[in-house]
Amino acid sequence: MADRNAPNCHLRLEWVYGYRGHQCRNNLYYTAAKEIVYFVAGVGVVYSPREHRQKFYLGHQDDIISLALHPERVLVATGQVGKEPYICVWDSYTVQTISILKDVHTHGIACLAFDLDGQRLVSVGLDSKNTICVWDWRKGKMLSMAPGHTDRIFDISWDLYQPNKLVSCGVKHIKFWSLCGNSLTPKRGVFGKTGDLQTILCLACARDEVTHSGALNGDIYVWKGINLIRTIQGAHAAGIFSMNACEEGFATGGRDGCVRLWDLNFKPITVIDLRETDQGYKGLSVRSVCWRGDHILVGTQDSEIFEIVVHERNKPFLIMQGHCEGELWALAVHPTKPLAMTGSDDRSVRIWSLIDHALIARCNMEEPIRCAAVSTDGIHLALGMKDGSFTVLRVRDMTEVVHIKDRKEAIHELKYSPDGTFLAVGSNDSSVDIYGVVQRYKKVGECVGSVSFITHMDWSSDSKYLQTNDGSGKRLFYKMPSGKEVTNKEELKGVQWASWTCVYGLEVNGIWPKYSDINDINSVDGNFNGQVLVTADDYGIVKLFRYPCLRKGAKFKKYLGHSAHVTNVRWSHDHQWVVSIGGADHSVFQWKFVPERKLKDAIHIAPQESLVDSNSDESDSDQSDVPELDSEIEQETQITYRRQVYKEDLPQLKEQCKEKRKSAASKRRERAPGNSIRLHFVHGYRGYDCRSNLFYTQTGEIVYHVAAVGVVYNRQQNTQRFYLGHDDDILCLAIHPLKDYVATGQVGRDSSIHIWDTETIKPLSVLKGYHQYGVCAVDFSADGKRLASVGIDDNHTIVLWDWKKGEKLSAVRGSKDKIFVVKINPYMPDKLITAGIKHMKFWHRAGGGLIGRKGCIGAMGRTDTMMCAVYGWTEEMAFSGTSTGDVCIWRDLFLIKTVKAHDGPVFSMHALEKGFVTGGKDGVVALWDDTFERCLKTYAIKRAALAPGSKGLLLEDNPSIRAISLGHGHILVGTKNGEILEVDKSGPITLLVQGHMEGEVWGLATHPHLPICATVSDDKTLRIWDLSPSHCMLAVRKLKKGGRCCCFSPDGKALAVGLNDGSFLMVNADTLEDLVSFHHRKDVISEIRFSPGAGKYLAVASCDSFVDIYNVMSSKRVGICKGASSYITHMDWDIRGKLLQVNTGAKEQLFFEAPRGKRQTIPNLEVEKIGWASWTSVLGSCCEGIWPIIGEVTDVTASCLTSDSKVLATGDDFGFVKLFRFPAKGKFGKFKKYVAHSTHVTNVRWTHEDSLLVTVGGADTSLMLWTYEMEGHRESRQCDSEESDLDSEEDGGYDSDVTRENEINYTIKALSTNIRPMFGIKPHLQQKEPSLDERQGVVRPPVSRALPQPEKLQTNNVGKKKRPIEVHCHPTPQMCLSHSFLQSLSVTETAHSAYVVWSPSWDLVLELVFGYRGKDCRNNVHYLNDGADIIYHTASVGILYNVATGSQSFYQEHNDDILCLTVNQHPKFTNLVATGQLQLLLSTCGMQ
């Protein structure tokens, strides 16, 4: 079998030919080192003209379309396109990422700009709103966001002379922005009469609020503030695409091919017409200009970069060329020289020198070029055209040899035979034509076997055979030169191929991933000598495979850079380089081939190289060289934490039941019970799917979690305190370095992380909004300020938090496979590691993102599954435990050593000051020195070592260890079986906490006389628990099958247990030894109950819908209850032992006579009169109120009535324990609700004297004890929850005013459009009949009812600055305007002929406002200035009323109704007011 590992050789990007000029602008700059920075495809390029050398930034995954240079000219910001685009800020010296800005924009980032001091970055998105964002880029934090414009924005710039001011421009607009707080406020530029309203393409800011902008018609518009004050007409003959400001002045470049230089006052200095220079051409269009000193950089539409020296302006130097816009498909390499030939849809063929990294020849053709081939002697270059013709040129001088057109459709492939005799031409019409080279390309044969277009061809070494691939995925063979198809496989045996560029065939099967389309891979080229294969695909990836590559799913190394599909790839003649070309990015990449190297050489890989050499494990088939997962790990990876319904869905589900709510609210219901319960003790520990979740606190207590409860356990007093802030399964726990705070992460649709104090049990911070479905790992930084978390979403997202502020610092997709652990570097909090399934990754923070690099295994072996990880004694050292029992030792990201530590997976590892402690599946705790060279001591977890003071019994020897922690002279151990043990360093082991193992717990029974209970679980154990203060497990017995129910006999001496295989047994309640067993059913025994009194009968219910009644004394079945249509869920005896009440899965309430099992029909009223020995039923009129509004979604799984028949406790599928008054008649009764279990509560039982309520959780495996407290004897606690699903609407509802206010819909105004019918002709456009006076020529003076017009509009005398109101008047029939008023208005036509905008030549100023918003607001009137002023609001105006003068001042920055107002009470911030308004995107303003 061929080796399916990735090849040991390597590709390194050496040169990129091209520049992105099309659809981009302002993307070319000089750096501080006088290098040139630009981009092409998905690569940022830093080019040194002096050394003729390129460096590459490879942090993007798609086309880069925007670039900005930091004011210090070292850092560069680039933005890309994509579904989830991001911005990278990187260093032009090291080409390493400094910061990543993400999670805001969609579609792409069109523009970028740094502010004057370089602290902030502004970006513009390509979404429908062209969203503008301002970033604190170093922190990766968004400071402000606002919709930019309804149409495309082309440029944005900070005003470098006014802080917090920006200018943006685009399609028929220019906007001037103010940044205040986190609010961006725009004002549109006023074109007025000075210039036409048109598209603005670029801009540059100057002093004194002056902005210069380049327009589509070639004019330059000069703005003062928001007003256009002058235009420089004819600055360019066509659109001005680029404008660059520098110390000397301004440079502009336009579509006319000219670069113009201007002084600081924008007076012309000189013009450079590139079209007239030696390198110029007609149609040259300038897209980017950069002026620094005496050098000017110019980027063109056709991918050229010119450098101009000012004193030799007529001799520009062409420093970079590339193909123009249009797809690039044709690629060929010279057979004897380091030359590559490319041809494109831009109709040009170009020859590149791979040594000199330069374009050495170019020839323009008549048609787009789709393929190319060079003859074996290097003399002829054949080009296949899009129109079905092909042309042969002499390589020496690019003169034409022959032009032939035998086909009507595109030529896709050309190949010369190895002996140079023939040329094969494959076309889109499914045929291959053979031409004789010596006969001046006369057609000598034709291959017609394909049913689809020809994609690839290869000749045999002897030139006698040709193999082809076509678009249907077929591989065919032909005899040459006749073109006869070869179907006999025997004939092809032993054929050697001169090249391998076909994508189909046995030799290249391994290049195809599973589920891929047959056209995903565009090109292949085999290096026979190096036994390596290079491929190009539709995803922009170049891959290296071993050759031959026989089986699907082979491993590879992948290289990014191309933004979209890579259309072709070829080895150079001497295999020193690989050349790849991009289709849409029309760039040419030259990769240096680095043969196999040793690990020590890999350390010296250039930084940019390591970013793209993935050393990939991305093959998607099962690997022969990867060992099978350990059974425990495999079982854990199969666990799903997804819920059909989450607790977050409850409000929405209740809202969907509006009709039920209304009907229930109209009826008065019994109030909730006055008594309550309080969580007292929890048996259990979550070990079966968690790790490293057990710690000593600062005070020596033990903190861990089970179900939805964080537990702080005092081992001296055997008491527990609980953090009950979670509402679903807690999956991870980490402790603060000071051992006083704990972070816990839970399951949830929008899952949360809680940081809480172990002393006060109060939350300090809750982090939400970034993890879906759950959080599986958390870790604090060494300084305790940061927290890292990993989600269980499909990408296992990693988030780094400032947890005190509740602020996300950085986030990244972690891995497709499960991540088990995250650890922050204790020495450098910006670094962290993650470990998981075939995963060990080293991350460092870059602004809002994290950059990860896979651990480099080298020759040490293969990437194993990592179960735990810690940092060591220096910042470079890390250690990880594998699924095979090894400990891996890492320096930086390189594996330097492995040590065998355990038999089976190493699940937990803890770092000490000097040394380490590990625990594994083998049940052994091992102490190691600080280099893992010597194991100092081992402790085996065995029953024989259990100390007398243990709180239970060890179920088995050597249980799998999941958590280890050290402190207070002991080793704390958590096991997969749900046990917490304390190991003394001298050897004895104390069992502290115990619970059921993995598997649902359903069976629960309390003893009739003693404070004990029994549980039975799917983990195949029956357990007896002491409910007294000793809180321990008294006895345990392993069963042959799991069980779902159990029950004590009335005298407490026997215990009946129902098993999952349909059998049940009776055991001695003290010794758990068998008394009797029966096996009459095949399905699960779901309930089992002794009759009251002497316990003469035993009722056994099964999931096959029957209840069997047995005589206990005779041990015989004496009756069968039939008639249920579904499985039995609950059973209760009456106090006489003669009647049996049964509930079923079909929600039937049935009654049977005992012992014969005859079915009885009993009316509801009679049922209430019957005395029942117990009540665990969930159906019937007495229990109608216990079913929630969303009863169709969730089931009430269990109930139990107190002995005084006053309080009914229930458990349901949402994990709620509820208390109802009994009987709970009427729908949707009031209750008290308690959350501690994570999912369904499977059973609830009161103890014999009702002092405790005992509950068990199904999947959470926990047993919880709740203290029953009488009314008036309890403290207020967070677990006393709201009393009903209908709190807000019950018992009379709201006061009428409150009801009316509650029904106000503020969205109507915000979302509404003009709904008045718009038809007819507007009044001012109507043709009016002339009046009698007009017909007679009489002129009358104007008449108006208005007051005489003053010379100047009066303003009030409050003395504050007012915001003028812009008035746009549309005359209506109701308006009567004086002649003098009309004369003062200037009429401006808009683009729409039906509208006229009336622009007053003077302003209105608000003088007085009558009104106050009191109808739906409160607490919105305040005194200011010691009672001298009153602040309030109405409409969209904030009003300051002076009590003494009666005058008003106004805050008018809002644009819709103000709904709230408050005044800052702090003495430092006097007169500071905040107001909030109504809007689609709500805003809050501060005013002073």
Side-chain angles (χ1 to χ4, degrees), residues 630-636 685-694 867 882-883 902-908 918-925 939-942 954-964 972-981 991 997-998 1038:
D630 175 83
S631 58
E632 276 189 25
I633 302 171
E634 189 170 16
Q635 186 179 356
E636 187 175 333
Y685 156 70
R686 181 110 181 193
Y688 66 87
D689 62 344
C690 301
R691 58 198 51 75
S692 302
N693 58 347
L694 178 65
M867 302 305 303
T882 73
S883 60
H902 290 272
D903 294 328
V906 183
F907 281 124
S908 187
T918 61
K921 185 179 178 180
D922 55 6
V924 174
V925 177
Y939 302 90
I941 309 298
K942 293 184 179 293
L954 200 59
L955 201 64
E956 60 186 15
D957 284 342
N958 300 319
S960 179
I961 295 172
R962 288 306 187 104
I964 288 184
L972 205 54
V973 176
T975 74
K976 180 178 185 285
N977 294 347
E979 300 141 342
I980 297 176
L981 306 139
L991 180 59
M997 299 182 288
E998 186 178 7
K1038 291 187 178 180

Side-chain angles (χ1 to χ4, degrees), residues 985 1073 1378:
K985 290 185 178 177
E1073 295 176 353
S1378 69

